[in-house]
Amino acid sequence: MTRVLVVDDEPQLLRALRINLRARDYDVDVAADGTTALRQAGASPPDLVVLDLGLPDIPGVDVIHGLRGWTQVPIIVLSGRAGSQDKVEALEAGADDYVTKPFDIEELVARIRAVSRRVSVTGEVSRVEVGEHTVDLAGKTVSGGVHLTPTEWHLLELLIRNPGKLISQQQLLTAVWGPSYRRETHYLRQYMAQLRRKLETDPAHPKHLLTEPGMGYRFQP
């Protein structure tokens, strides 16, 4: 059974999430502040963390840093802070996804399942379906005679090897082009548009190569 640690200082929300997640066969632990969360995670390591950023003792981003010091457990940030900068900071600190309050419990559960699937996938995945095409990462080929440039391959591979994960613009720009390109977001728009034209059935309404406005991109299997 998947063990989820929910960290939030709102007692009603903690109770609602515990009830709803347990009803879906998750084993749930709760913590009302960051210090307790870090202590509980160390004593009984969770399989996934749902974390509020606005905690009463230490910032949620510091909790992410604390966890990332010793574990790669998936972290989904759950917060009322809608600003893109807060989301980017959380993602840069090591969070895997971000859900804004108020939220629908079904959306949160879907995000939990997506992140869990990503973690369960080994690094040996080589063939992935993207629309009507099969992408062979090992052979660097795409079915249907589609040709990708080296830059397109690098960008696509980063997304495909992290299915369901929201990857920030800065992370992608740094990984593909280098640290000096962290602000060149137009590069991403251009290359993502090219990938969609080559791989998506309907590039104007993509189902797999998704944009999270102001934050980054996500590959949805």
Side-chain angles (χ1 to χ4, degrees):
M1 181 179 292
T2 301
R3 178 188 294 275
V4 179
L5 173 60
V6 181
V7 188
D8 200 293
D9 63 342
E10 298 180 37
Q12 292 181 333
L13 181 58
L14 276 184
R15 181 174 180 274
L17 288 176
R18 181 167 50 195
I19 292 172
N20 278 280
L21 291 176
R22 284 181 175 173
R24 291 165 172 80
D25 295 324
Y26 290 98
D27 188 5
V28 183
D29 292 329
V30 298
D33 57 63
T35 303
T36 301
L38 291 172
R39 184 171 63 248
Q40 286 188 208
S44 183
D47 299 306
L48 185 141
V49 176
V50 176
L51 172 70
D52 183 21
L53 288 183
L55 299 173
D57 55 346
I58 59 178
V61 170
D62 288 349
V63 176
I64 297 174
H65 284 299
L67 290 170
R68 284 291 173 258
W70 61 276
T71 178
Q72 289 303 308
V73 62
I75 301 172
I76 297 178
V77 167
L78 185 65
S79 178
R81 301 178 182 179
S84 62
Q85 186 57 41
D86 291 313
K87 299 176 183 181
V88 169
E89 288 179 3
L91 294 169
E92 293 288 331
D96 294 84
D97 208 345
Y98 198 114
V99 178
T100 303
K101 297 177 182 178
F103 63 94
D104 181 84
I105 185 64
E106 295 300 333
E107 178 190 359
L108 177 61
V109 171
R111 297 289 182 91
I112 289 174
R113 289 172 177 164
V115 170
S116 298
R117 283 195 301 269
R118 178 182 64 78
V119 173
S120 67
V121 174
T122 70
E124 300 303 317
V125 172
S126 62
R127 292 179 180 270
V128 179
E129 302 298 321
V130 182
E132 299 176 352
H133 299 282
T134 299
V135 178
D136 184 344
L137 294 175
K140 294 190 179 299
T141 60
V142 180
S143 64
V146 175
H147 172 73
L148 299 183
T149 68
T151 300
E152 289 171 344
W153 266 114
H154 196 174
L155 181 58
L156 181 65
E157 184 170 2
L158 282 171
L159 292 167
I160 284 181
R161 290 199 182 279
N162 293 277
K165 180 178 179 178
L166 173 59
I167 305 180
S168 74
Q169 295 173 338
Q170 287 74 21
Q171 287 173 316
L172 289 171
L173 287 165
T174 299
V176 178
W177 286 277
S180 61
Y181 290 82
R182 285 172 59 88
R183 296 185 181 276
E184 307 296 333
T185 55
H186 62 283
Y187 279 38
L188 289 174
R189 290 194 295 272
Q190 174 186 338
Y191 277 87
M192 287 300 293
Q194 292 172 191
L195 285 172
R196 287 169 179 149
R197 283 196 296 269
K198 294 180 177 182
L199 300 175
E200 292 277 5
T201 302
D202 182 359
H205 302 89
K207 293 184 178 180
H208 304 286
L209 302 173
L210 307 181
T211 300
E212 297 285 353
M215 293 182 290
Y217 297 87
R218 184 197 312 271
F219 169 63
Q220 185 61 48

